[in-house]
């Protein structure tokens, strides 16, 4: 159906704070106009000023959910005027000792135009449909929860 490519580039440099090891900083290029500087999470000797892969996974899920939600709302006659999500991902250890992003919680807050306002039950149903249709949610084993105010 579709293909999505990036270019990932890293070159060997000493770590800024720990010269005995390597820098985790690298660049992900999405197009000739868009690139993102990335590092490991600070807990894994990464650069706290850069995005880390776990944040990018949370971002991918939250963005996918939002885009699907916006499409469902539009098709249902709801005019979304703004959308904010303070999404959080948690890394945990599996019983076998490996680490994984075990949980992602979305905290979406949508505002709607005055013509048609969903009630709480409808809003919950719209988010449930968005979650079921989200390509990223359908691709990961991480537990995803959606907390509405």
């Amino acid at each position: 159906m579709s293909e999505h490519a990036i270019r990932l580039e890293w070159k060997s440099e000493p770590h800024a704070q720990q010269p005995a090891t390597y820098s985790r900083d690298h660049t992900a290029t999405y197009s000739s106009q868009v690139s993102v500087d990335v590092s490991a999470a600070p807990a894994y000797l990464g650069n706290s000023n850069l995005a880390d892969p776990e944040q990018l996974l949370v971002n991918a899920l939250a963005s996918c959910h939002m885009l699907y939600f916006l499409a469902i709302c539009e098709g249902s006659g709801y005019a979304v005027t703004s959308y904010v999500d303070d999404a959080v991902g948690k890394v945990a250890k599996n019983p076998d000792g490996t680490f994984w992003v075990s949980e992602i919680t979305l905290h979406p807050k949508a505002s709607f135009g005055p013509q048609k306002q969903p009630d709480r039950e409808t809003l919950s149903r719209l988010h449930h449909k968005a979650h079921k249709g989200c390509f990223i949610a359908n691709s990961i084993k991480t537990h995803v929860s959606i907390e509405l105010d």
Side-chain angles (χ1 to χ4, degrees):
M1 297 205 66
S2 62
E3 186 173 280
H4 308 271
I6 66 144
R7 179 181 179 98
L8 193 70
E9 295 181 76
W10 173 86
K11 63 181 176 179
S12 180
E13 293 181 6
H15 192 281
Q17 284 78 40
Q18 297 188 26
T21 188
Y22 57 91
S23 170
R24 274 65 171 166
D25 298 359
H26 55 285
T27 302
T29 301
Y30 297 92
S31 71
S32 62
Q33 301 295 314
V34 179
S35 65
V36 175
D37 291 327
V38 183
S39 190
Y44 308 107
L45 300 179
N47 183 339
S48 63
N49 294 319
L50 303 180
D52 63 58
E54 296 81 9
Q55 288 174 314
L56 294 172
L57 176 63
V58 173
N59 176 190
L61 177 74
S63 291
C64 184
H65 179 91
M66 180 197 69
L67 292 168
Y68 216 93
F69 177 82
L70 293 174
I72 291 167
C73 286
E74 182 179 60
S76 301
Y78 294 101
V80 179
T81 58
S82 68
Y83 186 102
V84 175
D85 189 349
D86 294 309
V88 177
K90 294 184 180 177
V91 173
K93 194 182 277 192
N94 270 331
D96 68 2
T98 59
F99 290 95
W100 68 305
V101 178
S102 61
E103 178 182 346
I104 297 174
T105 304
L106 304 180
H107 298 95
K109 293 171 190 70
S111 297
F112 296 86
Q115 301 83 357
K116 187 176 177 184
Q117 296 281 323
D119 59 24
R120 185 157 179 80
E121 182 180 322
T122 302
L123 185 61
S124 180
R125 195 169 49 252
L126 291 166
H127 279 291
H128 179 74
K129 284 182 182 178
H131 178 66
K132 289 293 183 193
C134 173
F135 304 162
I136 305 300
N138 290 326
S139 303
I140 60 175
K141 64 181 182 178
T142 300
H143 173 73
V144 177
S145 58
I146 301 165
E147 295 182 3
L148 303 175
D149 285 344

